[in-house]
Amino acid sequence: MPFVRTAVIKGTGPQQRQRIVDGIHQALVDSIGMPQDELFNLVVDYDPEQFFYSRTFNGVARSDQLIVIEITMRRGRSDAMKRELYKKIADNLGARAQVRPQDLFIFMHENDYSDWSVGSGKFAMELVQQLGNTSAV
């Protein structure tokens, strides 16, 4: 279950936020096989005077609309899967939210099941994963 924290410049409207979240989410579904109903994305604002960054680091021309995407998920995805994820995020946000790929700064934290509690204060390894809505027979 990835947890995503997305930082956008203050003043980003609700529709744009939704398009950004949807684009990131679909990239996770398409590239790492995340179930469709595993959506956890905390969108936060930053004031321009609170975030200092290089506009030219590594030859990338960044604007004042930089979006920071921080993904925390269970360890085990290959470099190829991560590369595909980053590309799909950039493609999706370009197409859905008109975000320049140069204005995306993405990084990942990996950990293990023992580092999660996803509900009811229970150790995640003790819970059976529920996929979507199921009905009792």
Side-chain angles (χ1 to χ4, degrees):
M1 180 203 85
F3 178 84
V4 180
R5 185 173 189 265
T6 305
V8 297
I9 194 163
K10 192 172 188 175
T12 302
Q15 290 178 340
Q16 178 71 346
R17 290 169 187 263
Q18 187 65 58
R19 289 190 293 262
I20 291 167
V21 167
D22 291 345
I24 295 167
H25 184 69
Q26 194 59 50
L28 287 161
V29 170
D30 293 343
S31 63
I32 67 167
M34 185 181 75
Q36 191 69 39
D37 71 338
E38 284 189 19
L39 171 61
F40 295 92
N41 190 326
L42 176 63
V43 180
V44 297
D45 291 329
Y46 66 85
D47 285 313
E49 61 273 0
Q50 294 175 312
F51 183 33
F52 301 87
Y53 57 90
S54 170
R55 304 270 178 151
T56 59
F57 174 72
N58 219 20
V60 177
R62 294 170 191 83
S63 77
D64 60 354
Q65 300 294 312
L66 189 67
I67 297 173
V68 179
I69 302 167
E70 181 179 359
I71 302 169
T72 303
M73 67 180 171
R74 183 181 42 80
R75 147 177 13 265
R77 275 53 176 223
S78 68
D79 286 350
M81 291 174 84
K82 292 175 194 176
R83 187 175 293 114
E84 181 68 13
L85 172 61
Y86 302 151
K87 181 180 179 336
K88 284 193 181 291
I89 289 173
D91 291 348
N92 288 355
L93 269 56
R96 297 171 185 221
Q98 292 69 53
V99 172
R100 297 173 56 236
Q102 298 90 338
D103 289 333
L104 293 174
F105 188 87
I106 306 168
F107 62 99
M108 188 174 300
H109 305 281
E110 293 182 303
N111 56 29
D112 297 309
Y113 279 119
S114 62
D115 298 310
W116 296 84
S117 174
V118 297
S120 301
K122 294 185 178 181
F123 195 49
M125 292 175 68
E126 296 172 355
L127 299 175
V128 174
Q129 184 175 3
Q130 307 276 323
L131 298 178
N133 293 328
T134 58
S135 57
V137 178

